[in-house]
């Protein structure tokens, strides 16, 4: 009987050892996200992100991604995420805000829509002659409520076919010349969130 108890103790000890993590082992972490719009988010991760964690209890699969450099990624998830005000912070402590994301997007290739848009993302000119009018409201099924959201969608769509856009009904403006004099921006050029002057991006390499 004593031998049996001793043997059980030894067994318990060996089983406990099986549950101990090996030296230097670290639990796999899932990056948190900053939601841009719908299923499109930004995150910081050292490797290609496969999942994101919008909350501590959630794990959502990534279905599309594009790297912006400095371990910053734009991703599209399987389902829409709730809007998050979570800050993106680099390893050195610097915060990546919307303006920084916009600058990083300047350096990556994007799909070209052939549309000239104003600051509200309404069509001024359809350079492809497809008759597209109104304001861009979705891109590949995700809401477009900012230039950042549209440009992130275009970056995700760079290596495949044209993204599917939807437009709301065009509005009639009383003073159309005022819109043109305000300096319309091209969505196929850089759009700065601070209203600065747009500049043409040549090439698509990260800089």
């Amino acid at each position: 009987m004593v031998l049996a108890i001793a043997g059980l103790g030894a067994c318990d000890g060996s089983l406990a050892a099986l549950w101990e993590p090996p030296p230097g082992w670290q639990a796999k972490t899932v990056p948190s996200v900053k939601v841009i719009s719908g299923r499109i988010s930004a995150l910081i991760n050292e490797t290609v992100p496969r999942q994101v964690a919008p909350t501590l209890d959630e794990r959502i699969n990534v279905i599309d991604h594009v790297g912006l450099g400095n371990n910053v990624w734009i991703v599209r998830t399987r389902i829409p995420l709730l809007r998050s005000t979570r800050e993106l912070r680099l390893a050195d402590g610097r915060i990546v805000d919307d303006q920084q994301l916009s600058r990083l997007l300047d350096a990556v290739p994007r799909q070209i829509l052939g549309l000239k848009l104003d600051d509200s993302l309404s069509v001024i000119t359809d350079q492809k002659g497809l008759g597209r009018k109104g304001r861009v409201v979705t891109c590949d099924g995700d809401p477009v409520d900012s230039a950042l959201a549209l440009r992130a969608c275009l970056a995700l769509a760079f290596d495949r076919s044209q993204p599917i856009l939807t437009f709301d009904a065009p509005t009639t403006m009383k003073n159309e010349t005022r819109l043109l004099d305000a300096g319309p921006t091209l969505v196929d050029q850089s759009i700065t969130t601070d209203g600065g002057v747009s500049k043409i991006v040549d090439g698509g390499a990260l800089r």
Side-chain angles (χ1 to χ4, degrees), residues 97-159:
D97 57 16
D98 285 355
Q99 290 188 359
Q100 181 66 15
L101 284 175
S102 183
R103 286 193 290 270
L104 290 173
L105 278 166
D106 287 347
V108 299
R110 302 186 299 273
Q111 271 285 5
I112 303 300
L113 295 177
L115 291 173
K116 181 182 288 186
L117 306 177
D118 64 16
D119 292 335
S120 69
L121 303 182
S122 296
V123 177
I124 298 174
T125 305
D126 184 348
Q127 297 171 329
K128 292 187 176 182
L130 300 177
R132 294 172 290 183
K133 298 179 180 179
R135 190 181 74 84
V136 180
V137 292
T138 70
C139 177
D140 278 344
D142 293 300
V144 171
D145 54 9
S146 67
L148 179 64
L150 179 56
R151 296 174 67 227
C153 181
L154 297 181
L156 289 168
F158 169 71
D159 59 353

Side-chain angles (χ1 to χ4, degrees), residues 44-198:
I44 294 175
N45 203 46
E46 293 182 356
T47 59
V48 176
R50 303 300 182 188
Q51 287 185 321
V52 298
T55 67
L56 292 176
D57 300 325
E58 291 182 287
R59 298 293 183 270
I60 308 298
N61 289 337
V62 170
I63 61 174
D64 202 0
H65 64 271
V66 60
L68 306 186
N70 296 321
N71 294 328
V72 181
W73 301 82
I74 297 292
V75 300
R76 177 178 277 115
T77 51
R78 181 176 56 83
I79 60 175
L81 306 178
L82 296 177
R83 180 71 70 174
S84 171
T85 58
R86 190 186 303 270
E87 290 181 339
L88 295 182
R89 193 178 295 271
L90 297 172
D92 59 7
R94 288 180 298 161
I95 293 176
V96 181
D97 57 16
D98 285 355
Q99 290 188 359
Q100 181 66 15
L101 284 175
S102 183
R103 286 193 290 270
L104 290 173
L105 278 166
D106 287 347
V108 299
R110 302 186 299 273
Q111 271 285 5
I112 303 300
L113 295 177
L115 291 173
K116 181 182 288 186
L117 306 177
D118 64 16
D119 292 335
S120 69
L121 303 182
S122 296
V123 177
I124 298 174
T125 305
D126 184 348
Q127 297 171 329
K128 292 187 176 182
L130 300 177
R132 294 172 290 183
K133 298 179 180 179
R135 190 181 74 84
V136 180
V137 292
T138 70
C139 177
D140 278 344
D142 293 300
V144 171
D145 54 9
S146 67
L148 179 64
L150 179 56
R151 296 174 67 227
C153 181
L154 297 181
L156 289 168
F158 169 71
D159 59 353
R160 53 180 174 79
S161 59
Q162 282 273 314
I164 300 174
L165 304 180
T166 62
F167 303 82
D168 66 0
T171 56
T172 303
M173 300 196 64
K174 295 180 180 180
N175 186 4
E176 188 173 347
T177 58
R178 180 181 178 184
L179 173 65
L180 297 177
D181 292 341
T185 56
L186 288 174
V187 74
D188 294 336
Q189 295 176 337
S190 302
I191 297 178
T192 56
T193 56
D194 59 1
V197 178
S198 299

